[in-house]
Amino acid sequence: MPANFMPTAQEYLRFAPESLLILVGVLLMILEPLSGPDGKRKFAVISFAALAAAIGLAIAAGMDPGPAFSGLLMVDGFATFFRVLVLVIGMFVILISTNYLKLEGHESGEYYALLLFSVVGQCLMAASNDLIMLFIGLECSSIASYVLAGYLRDDKRNNESALKYFLLGSFATAFLLYGVAWTYGTTGTTNLTAIRAYLMDPAHHANMVVVGAATALMFVGFAFKVSAAPFQMWAPDVYQGAPAPVTAFMSIGSKAAAFAMFVRVMMTAFEPVKDRWEPLIWISALATMTIGNCAALRQSNLKRLLAYSSIAHAGYLMVAITAHSEIGTASVMFYLTSYALMSLGAFAIVVYIARKGERFVEINDLAGLSQRQPLVAALFVIFLLSFTGIPLTAGFFGKFYIFKAALDSNLVWLAILGMLNSAVAAYYYLRLIVVMYMQPPAEGAEELLAPTIGIRVTMLVTAALTIALGIFPSFILDLAGKSAAFAR
Amino acid sequence: MDAILFLTFAAIAVACAINLVLQTHPISSALSLVGVMTSLAVLYLLLGGSFIAAVQVIVYAGAIMVLFIFVIMLLNTQGERTQPKKNVLPIAIALPLLFSLIGVLAAIVATQVPAGEIVKFGTFSGGDPLTFGRAMFTRYLLPFEVTSVLILIAIVGAVVLAKKEI
Amino acid sequence: MPPIPTVVPMSWYLILSAILFTLGAAGFLLRRNIITVFMCIELMLNAVNLTFVAFSHQLKQVDGHIFTFFVMVVAAAEAAVGLAIILTVFKNRQTLEIDEISSMKL
Amino acid sequence: MHQLWLIPALPLAGFLLNGIFGRKLSKAAINAVAIGSVLLSFLWVVKTLMGLGSLEEVYVERYFTWIQSGFVNVGFDFAVDRLSAVMLMVVTGIGLLIHIYAAGYMAHEGGYYRFFAYLNLFMFFMLILVLAANYLVLFVGWEGVGLCSYLLIGFYFLKKSAGDAGKKAFVVNRIGDFGFSLAMFLIMVNFGSLDFGTVFAKAVPMANETSAGVLTLICLLLLLGAAGKSAQVPLYVWLPDAMEGPTPVSALIHAATMVTAGVYMVARSAALFNHAPIAMEVVAYVGLITAVMAATIGLTQYDLKKVFAYSTVSQLGYMFLALGTGAYSAGIYHVMTHAFFKALLFLGAGSVIHALSGEQDLRMMGGLRKKIPVTFAVLFCASVAIAGVPPFAGYYSKDAILLAAHAHHPWMYWVGVVTAGMTAFYVFRAFFLCFFGTYRGQAHPHESPLVMTAPLMVLAALSLGGGYFLNVPHYLEPLFGGEHAAHDETLVLISVGAGLLGIALAALFYVVKPGLADGLARAFSWPYKLFYNKYFVDEAYDAVIVHPLRDGSSSVLWKGVDARIIDGAVNGTGSLMRAIGGGLREMQSGYIRRYAAWVVLGSVAIIAVVSFWGGVK
Amino acid sequence: MNLLDILLILPAAGFLLTLFLPKDNPGLIRNFVFGVSVVTFVFSLLLIGPVLASPGRLALEGNSSWIEYPAIRYHVALDGLSLWLVILSTFLTPIVTLVSWKYIQNRVKEFYAFLLALLLGVLGVFIAQDLFLFFVFWEISLVPMYFLVGIWGHDKRIYAALKFFLYTMAGSALMLVAIIYLYNKSGTFDIPLLLDMMAKGRLVLTGAESNWLFLAFFLAFAIKVPLFPLHTWLPDAHGEAPTAGSVMLASVLLKLGTYGLVRICLPLFPGAARDNANWIIVLAIAGIIYGALVAMVQPNMKRLVAYSSVSHLGFVVLGIFTFTQVGLDGAVYQMLNHGISTGALFILVGMLYERRHSLEISDFGGVATAAPWLTTMFVITTLASVGLPLLNNFVGEFLILQAAVQVNFYYAAFAAIGVILSAVYMLWMVQRVFYGETPETVKHHMPDMSTREWAIIVPLIALMVWMGIGTQSFLPPISANSTQLLQVMKQPAPPSAVQAAKESVHAR
């Protein structure tokens, strides 16, 4: 190990998106005390621009893939794809946040700074090639999320959400760390590539029981983060309590990053022992989607319903991991993209419906939306159909690729049960359509003002992309296919 | 000698940990935790982690636990109220669960992890500050830097959440 | 009464770690004061750290110590944020009973 | 080309004109269209038959391929042979007379144009039935006449009973059609064609089926069809109810033409039946049973039209008896003579009813011979004809049948003779009740107009002389062969005697000693009630088939299977999912420590499984 | 550009344009959509020529890549099987537009937009030659119908709409799995290509595979048909839908199921189809009788007609699974017949509903006196529905039963009972609705047919007669296709498959 360690410019470039965001985050906090109460809008603009610029940097970094910082980072296609994805999600979250915060009277630089830091953590999760880096990235993302979940500190729901997320998150992290420790003890390294090499090498006679236990413990952590069964219970409570834009951020951005981490660890480090964890994953996947869908049937709170729906989607996503192939990975990437689009759209609408103090987050508050705001209702239908998996929406192709991956690995029953699950899911998505289209508005319902620009842009763009991906999925899928190979 | 040291401090650690779990007042728990941490620091030393042992005492037992105690005092909380009706169900569920957890973990360690060499103080000194610092500022430079962001987040977060309360 | 051993194999450290980890989990499941619960998490992290350090000794590497160090840093950060969250909760509800923080459910 | 298609097309044109524009046309115009079209059709039949000459060979006209698919190739073809020639003459001739009569009879009814449109439509289908050159086209006519029967029975649709009767007729006919169509399919499969020529040509060389085989099955199914259309046991129940229709309809459809379609069809299929002796035997039995059963019921009825309706059933039974004994030509002979006298009976009855402004109950009549003499006269002609008094029409055909029956099984002859006696009795019973004694009703009887009585007179002439002058069996000989049983004078005398005895008894009971009948009825109250209530067949059908089917469908199938079992399963799946969801909700208790417990539980399980059991593989 | 592309573009463009029409001008919307649908119909008539010119083969093929991976192709074509179904769909769309002219008064724009979307979906299903494309259109057709039932339906519309959607969705879930499985085996979704591969032995399915795939497809189609006992969504959906919805549902959407059976289940899995034929036929016959019996006791006219559909579609399935030329011809013909006559029945029931605002039979009576022409039209349609000769249904039933006799006499005997029962339930309804004295409630609300209604019903009646007599205008392309299909089904297993079977025997 050279004593005069000096990273190259190339390595810095590979870390550039995160660097930029960190700088901007710090800048925001410097500006915060300097700006008056009316000048908060500029924070949104700045952070939005920073995320946009970071996308550019991420793409630029992705042009020249390779490891950085002694192999701690691995900027390969996979990392770039997910970096861009979480950055884009971040941008949309900012779009739906501004007006929300303004209504709540809590617009401040810190919010955006925390958001940016959290995105940094997510980017790192996507790009880490070492368990240490992964852990740090995960914690960056999580700790910022804990704070964001409780951002409106006078709101009891926010407090509770933050506390639950924090306590349970830390609890699960302990399991994850324990797994990391055992992995380290068995293989003597925390570098994913090196772990893989160690496990591949028959000369090492790695004790499979210990490796299995380590994998299992790490799985606990990952499953918790992606809200997979039986570790999904925090999600509905936390998602319901957090501010709606933050819920969107957690259930989309954090989930995407967690899946990136999950897939990368399973597909690189532990791929050699896949026989051990593959059944585990598909059983968990099946349980996850079933639990998510069935529990969602009985929800009356829109956010909570979306939380269960997001659990169910995590289940679908895990199906593709069982394929342990590049195709499977690509389908995870595609599905996450489409899931992100439709969820963002849906949450934009939730934010719009909820209004100040989140007073209107019950399903019944949607009654007659098709007459009150036809466009919003129509767009919501698009998202819901996409969730359901009706063709010509992104969600359909997402499911299609997922179950195709499952069938590729001969998990016919899993595919069938998964598809039947989506039929169950159709029920509660359709119920929302029923409420919007087939029920009259409630007596004396407050008039809905036209959506603000941020919401409107989010809804329209995500809807357009949802449809576009539903007709021409190749664009993202090819990209995902090309990026699905890990640099090992 | 090593064995006696280990057994002593292991016993202290376990005893303090049990105390931590049993005490109803957070202050007692916090002090027990300090006990655990300190005895762990001794074990770290035994394992050749001189730097980490120091950090354990200074940062963990010192700074972090002080923070805890500070908050406990600030909130001036009482011990847990004894519940009106003794609810044994949680314990009835939790205890078997925990026994199976320890059982599984211990079984794996005892039967599958190679017993390893005898731990003898001084056989490994790779944990000294020099080696540690070398690794930290070369190979682990990036996480070290990112940790600063983490701390920043923590500060911002704490400020955001508790700005007017303190 | 078995004779007191004179030397200790590495796995004893691991067993100790497992015991501490479980005790932490036990505290999480059994204690009702949020702060105590939080301290139990710290206990679990300490147990993990012990594992790292023990393996580090076994492998004659410093990397385990580094990991331990980062865990401590993260623990510190978590402590700051966590205690802040606990503060806000207390402020809004005037309680630290963990089971009373359960308005979001079903 | 003789343009056979014109024969049915003319009434069809009449139907369309009246059906579409009838509401705006005057009665005269409607009459002109309706009667004119049938007249033209009749004339065209006459012209064609004259043009075709002796008809030694079948004359076929092929128009277009109707259905072509795989081995199924059915053309829309018409054919004429001697059998259809007889039927054509009967149908168009009687049809024309009845159309004329109806112009008078219906003059004061609502829906005048509709009535004639339906009647023309009936003519259209009946002519198709008769002209058909294959089974499918025959089936078109077959179903079509059923439809018209349905429409005309339900002509007075304001009356529920009329609607019910129409529906009953259609449905019972459908049961028959069920048999017919299955027979048709079997013919198609076994002969590769539905064309009469082809099928019969293939059937001729076949051996007789001494045990039940496919031919027997075909013939029995055809019999089922025929039984439906021709009101044979057990499907005769619709015909008495069909009297809800206007009287000309009863005469035309339910006496003279449509109901004989079954006879025609069986005769048409003689080539098949000849090879299926078992089926033949069944035909004979069915015919005989029907004849006796209907006759016994006819003895006791008081509704004038009902008496004639049961008489029709009974006479149709005779015809089937003829068919079953192989005397096809005798059957057809009886078809024709029956058409004459039964049409006359009905039209005469119509005239009586018309005279009494709608009264149909014999108990409310009496002593009408002075008031409506023409009707009285023609009805007398008809009654003697049906009673088999020589030398009138019924005598010839009935004797032909009875002789054939004797040749087949002598006991059938004896049953037939008894039935003939009963026939004579009940017809004259009605006749006497109607025209003799004193008038028991309130209406003011008046003779019908000429437009009604003129057809009656023509029919009366035919009833009297039709049997002698139109020797159908001889004409049909080339088709069915010389199957005459030896002409046995004794047997003829016995049957004539039975008829005369019946008349005499009727006279005794209802003219000479009125009241004797009631005494007799009391003396034999058990059979009397049985006859009077028509053997309780309708009630039995209701109890055994109709009600179980309806109630079962409603309570078992619909509300049970559909709503409870299937939908129950479907909704149950939904409820199960929701219940699972509810259970999962309960797990979502909101308590952090419980969630943590789940985490621990999950971890323990996963660690144990993944590490120790090494996964499932 | 292929004619078929234009066929799809017309309703698609119409749909999109409708969305941009001003909401407060319903007249414009109606006229526009009517115009579009008429143009589509007229255009679809152009397709007849090319199809007739190539009997038994695909005509007007359009084949271009849609998605690279997995290889999904926009492969459309028309043959004798789909030709008339396409025209049936385009023919009925202007008619239901007219039907809804007065019926639909609120949210006119959405209604007509959904109508065109529905047309797009079903046309796509009928012309798709790629399994994936087929599935896409299959699902698309679901959505507009869901809205049509759910928004403009009667009281229990929401339950009905959900039930309809979920039932179908559950079935199609399995179908999608089967489609993917087939792709993984063969590397293509293209139906003609799959058939080709099977013929040449490049794609060999084991018996079990073939059986399961068949069942997966079959279930999806059987739900759509609907085959007893999967039919319970149908009375609800039909009964609750607005007239236009009922018509499209009965006339076109149900045909998707039977069409799928003929297009996919039979040629792709001939062995499995034969193995399963017996119980399927038994179910079909059960459906025929069951549907009829339950229809008989329905107090609601629409539900009655709906159950009659169960019965009629049972005939279609029966015909298909006889695997004979006659049966297949009859089945396809019967699909068209049912489309026309049941569609007309629903329209007429809708007309009654518009007058009396009730669907309960007991609320009617004596309509014949008040509205004789309406009655006449209804009776004619009824007669077509019960299979009176010279009207359309007869031909189909005749062929199907003929084929059934060919296979097994008892099949035909039991199925024919349905013919008897159809007369019972239909005529009973006619009697209760139209005959008898006219109650006051009916008398004053029962104007006879309007010009618009004449324009709706006359084409339908004309078609009933035409299809009953002039069958040769329609049957030849269908026959050519059936011949082709039977050819495909008869193909002996390629040598490699035989070998594989032998090897597996030896392996045991």
Side-chain angles (χ1 to χ4, degrees), chain E residues 65-145:
Chain E
S65 177
W66 175 16
I67 292 163
E68 290 297 330
Y69 177 82
I72 298 169
R73 302 192 70 78
Y74 170 78
H75 186 182
V76 292
L78 210 55
D79 60 8
L81 171 59
S82 34
L83 171 70
W84 299 120
L85 290 167
V86 164
I87 292 179
L88 176 71
S89 320
T90 55
F91 168 72
L92 283 171
T93 310
I95 286 189
V96 296
T97 319
L98 282 179
V99 165
S100 315
W101 210 265
K102 289 232 176 76
Y103 187 98
I104 300 299
Q105 289 297 347
N106 65 327
R107 302 210 241 174
V108 175
K109 182 167 126 177
E110 287 107 312
F111 181 86
Y112 284 104
F114 283 131
L115 219 48
L116 288 178
L118 182 65
L119 178 62
L120 173 68
V122 295
L123 288 180
V125 173
F126 288 139
I127 65 174
Q129 295 294 329
D130 182 287
L131 283 176
F132 192 89
L133 195 66
F134 177 89
F135 183 81
V136 165
F137 281 115
W138 174 277
E139 292 274 288
I140 287 179
S141 67
L142 216 56
V143 178
M145 188 42 83

Side-chain angles (χ1 to χ4, degrees), chain E residues 194-210:
Chain E
L194 280 168
L195 290 175
D196 190 51
M197 288 171 78
M198 284 181 168
K200 294 194 173 126
R202 272 158 50 214
L203 171 62
V204 182
L205 299 171
T206 67
E209 267 178 334
S210 179

Side-chain angles (χ1 to χ4, degrees), chain A residues 321-382:
Chain A
I321 297 180
T322 56
H324 53 74
S325 61
E326 286 181 14
I327 296 170
T329 312
S331 50
V332 172
M333 293 154 85
F334 182 87
Y335 196 96
L336 272 170
T337 311
S338 55
Y339 168 75
L341 289 172
M342 56 210 190
S343 288
L344 280 167
F347 270 106
I349 290 168
V350 170
V351 169
Y352 167 64
I353 302 289
R355 285 167 282 173
K356 183 170 163 48
E358 294 198 10
R359 282 165 300 153
F360 302 101
V361 284
E362 292 297 309
I363 288 174
N364 287 339
D365 295 326
L366 290 173
L369 190 67
S370 65
Q371 275 131 308
R372 295 154 78 200
Q373 287 290 337
L375 179 66
V376 178
L379 293 176
F380 205 1
V381 168
I382 292 178

Side-chain angles (χ1 to χ4, degrees), chain A residues 109-392:
Chain A
E110 286 103 351
Y111 177 87
Y112 297 106
L114 284 168
L115 202 64
L116 291 187
F117 290 144
S118 187
V119 171
V120 168
Q122 292 169 1
C123 286
L124 284 172
M125 284 157 82
S128 308
N129 195 35
D130 190 292
L131 291 172
I132 290 193
M133 205 55 234
L134 204 67
F135 173 62
I136 307 274
L138 176 63
E139 284 301 312
C140 277
S141 157
S142 300
I143 294 180
S145 304
Y146 302 152
V147 179
L148 287 174
Y151 184 72
L152 304 176
R153 58 174 177 267
D154 300 326
D155 186 312
K156 278 190 179 180
R157 287 175 297 181
N158 275 222
N159 299 152
E160 180 173 337
S161 167
L163 183 74
K164 278 184 177 163
Y165 194 19
F166 165 71
L167 284 180
L168 290 166
S170 310
F171 189 60
T173 308
F175 281 86
L176 172 68
L177 277 176
Y178 207 27
V180 171
W182 279 19
T183 309
Y184 169 70
T186 317
T187 62
T189 175
T190 52
N191 186 290
L192 298 183
T193 321
I195 294 171
R196 177 191 175 80
Y198 183 91
L199 292 176
M200 293 278 272
D201 192 343
H204 287 119
H205 302 297
N207 186 320
M208 280 305 143
V209 174
V210 184
V211 173
T215 321
L217 280 164
M218 291 183 68
F219 173 81
V220 173
F222 293 144
F224 180 89
K225 288 294 169 193
V226 301
S227 64
F231 312 109
Q232 86 295 349
M233 295 181 139
W234 60 278
D237 294 10
V238 171
Y239 289 176
Q240 186 189 358
V246 177
T247 308
F249 183 67
M250 291 191 295
S251 69
I252 305 166
S254 306
K255 182 164 279 185
F259 262 105
M261 155 179 98
F262 191 6
V263 171
R264 188 187 281 275
V265 170
M266 288 307 187
M267 297 301 293
T268 58
F270 291 107
E271 212 214 348
V273 292
K274 63 181 181 243
D275 285 355
R276 299 203 153 245
W277 51 259
E278 191 193 282
L280 168 68
I281 297 212
W282 74 253
I283 290 168
S284 171
L286 194 56
T288 308
M289 59 179 106
T290 311
I291 289 174
N293 284 326
C294 288
L297 294 176
R298 297 283 292 266
Q299 297 307 319
S300 62
N301 182 297
L302 203 49
K303 278 166 83 184
R304 211 168 164 81
L305 182 119
L306 286 175
Y308 280 110
S309 137
S310 119
I311 290 173
H313 286 285
Y316 300 138
L317 277 160
M318 283 169 64
V319 170
I321 297 180
T322 56
H324 53 74
S325 61
E326 286 181 14
I327 296 170
T329 312
S331 50
V332 172
M333 293 154 85
F334 182 87
Y335 196 96
L336 272 170
T337 311
S338 55
Y339 168 75
L341 289 172
M342 56 210 190
S343 288
L344 280 167
F347 270 106
I349 290 168
V350 170
V351 169
Y352 167 64
I353 302 289
R355 285 167 282 173
K356 183 170 163 48
E358 294 198 10
R359 282 165 300 153
F360 302 101
V361 284
E362 292 297 309
I363 288 174
N364 287 339
D365 295 326
L366 290 173
L369 190 67
S370 65
Q371 275 131 308
R372 295 154 78 200
Q373 287 290 337
L375 179 66
V376 178
L379 293 176
F380 205 1
V381 168
I382 292 178
F383 300 130
L384 290 170
L385 292 180
S386 185
F387 278 133
T388 315
I390 298 295
L392 297 196

Side-chain angles (χ1 to χ4, degrees), chain E residues 250-287:
Chain E
S251 303
V252 184
L253 260 78
L254 302 190
K255 307 307 171 308
L256 300 186
T258 45
Y259 172 81
L261 289 175
V262 183
R263 167 70 71 211
I264 293 173
C265 276
L266 258 52
L268 286 181
F269 317 108
R274 283 184 200 282
D275 292 346
N276 290 297
N278 278 327
W279 63 262
I280 292 172
I281 286 182
V282 168
L283 283 186
I285 293 172

